[in-house]
Amino acid sequence: MCRFFSAIATRDGRLLYHDATDSHEHMIRHFGLREGSGAGFGAANFVCLEFIQQNGKADDPDSYTLTVDESETPVWFDADRRTETISKLKSEIKSMIVTDSRPFILGGRWILSGKPTIGKLVGATIEYAGNATIEDAGNATIKYANNATIKHAGDATIKDAGNATIKYANSATIKDAGDATIKYANNATIEYAGSATIEYANSATIEYAGDATIEHANSATIKYANNATIKDAGDATIIKK
């Protein structure tokens, strides 16, 4: 499993990664890498790496640890090369951290630290949203919303809503609503509602309601209600309990 932050170290001294993916397979193809020939793992031309944050401290580069995502470590990836790689990856993490309020973020991937207010996201990937306020998530991918306040989710993809407050989910895709509070689900697709509180489901599609509390189901489609508490079913379509 590839996890944030993924990279590849090459035998000729390069450290490779890409904003668009944490998939080693994709990076290997993108950079045109080829395995080495000859006996022994020391002949390998590259090694896959994971630089993984620990203890929920995404905005602390010193809390990350480096692991080699291989069955063996090539001989050329020695202690000096490891130390050099860690230093470079820490610098890369630091360059992603946003602590100041900004009206606009275009592209790239970012870690929101502290309580910045971000006006609009366009084509960006937010690895961790922290305690930020996001006015308009646009078409961003938000991997971990943490404790953020998202006023308008737009067409964003939110992978893990955490404890976020989402005021208007709009047409977003929320893969795991976690313990989030969603005030107006609008036309969102919520794949798993977790233990979220959804005040007004509107016309949302909820695939699995989990243990969620849905105050007003409105005209939503709820495919599997699971153990959810639905206080006012409204005109909702509940396909299967």
Side-chain angles (χ1 to χ4, degrees):
M1 179 180 178
C2 290
R3 293 170 288 177
F4 180 78
F5 179 88
S6 296
I8 296 175
T10 67
R11 187 172 185 170
D12 60 10
R14 292 175 292 161
L15 182 61
L16 306 174
Y17 42 83
H18 199 285
D19 281 351
T21 186
D22 272 317
S23 166
H24 289 128
E25 180 183 355
H26 293 165
M27 285 187 273
I28 289 167
R29 295 180 67 181
H30 174 75
F31 292 110
L33 302 179
R34 297 289 183 271
E35 293 284 3
S37 59
F41 197 70
N45 284 333
F46 60 88
V47 62
C48 296
L49 306 172
E50 299 286 359
F51 199 50
I52 304 169
Q53 68 89 205
Q54 303 292 327
N55 303 320
K57 297 179 179 178
D59 56 353
D60 178 12
D62 290 331
S63 72
Y64 287 67
T65 59
L66 181 69
T67 60
V68 176
D69 194 14
E70 306 282 2
S71 58
E72 297 180 70
T73 301
V75 294
W76 51 262
F77 195 75
D78 56 17
D80 288 341
R81 184 71 187 278
R82 177 182 284 269
T83 298
E84 176 189 0
T85 299
I86 290 172
S87 178
K88 288 181 178 178
L89 290 173
K90 283 185 179 181
S91 294
E92 183 61 24
I93 296 298
K94 286 179 183 177
S95 73
M96 296 180 188
I97 297 172
V98 173
T99 59
D100 58 304
S101 295
R102 303 181 181 186
F104 195 76
I105 290 181
L106 176 63
R109 55 181 174 174
W110 309 92
I111 296 166
L112 306 183
S113 177
K115 296 182 178 181
T117 296
I118 308 300
K120 184 167 184 175
L121 303 172
V122 176
T125 296
I126 305 299
E127 296 287 345
Y128 300 89
N131 295 297
T133 296
I134 299 170
E135 301 280 351
D136 184 347
N139 60 350
T141 295
I142 300 173
K143 291 187 178 179
Y144 298 97
N146 302 106
N147 298 307
T149 296
I150 301 171
K151 293 189 176 180
H152 296 274
D155 297 310
T157 296
I158 301 171
K159 294 190 174 181
D160 184 343
N163 295 303
T165 297
I166 302 171
K167 293 189 175 180
Y168 296 93
N170 301 110
S171 300
T173 296
I174 301 172
K175 294 187 176 288
D176 185 344
D179 296 306
T181 297
I182 301 170
K183 298 203 170 183
Y184 296 93
N186 300 111
N187 296 306
T189 296
I190 302 171
E191 294 187 5
Y192 178 60
S195 299
T197 296
I198 301 170
E199 295 188 7
Y200 295 91
N202 298 116
S203 300
T205 297
I206 301 171
E207 300 281 348
Y208 295 91
D211 297 307
T213 296
I214 301 171
E215 301 279 351
H216 301 278
N218 302 114
S219 300
T221 298
I222 302 171
K223 295 189 176 179
Y224 295 90
N226 302 111
N227 297 311
T229 298
I230 302 172
K231 295 187 177 180
D232 178 357
D235 296 316
T237 299
I238 302 174
I239 296 176
K240 183 177 179 180
K241 276 278 188 182

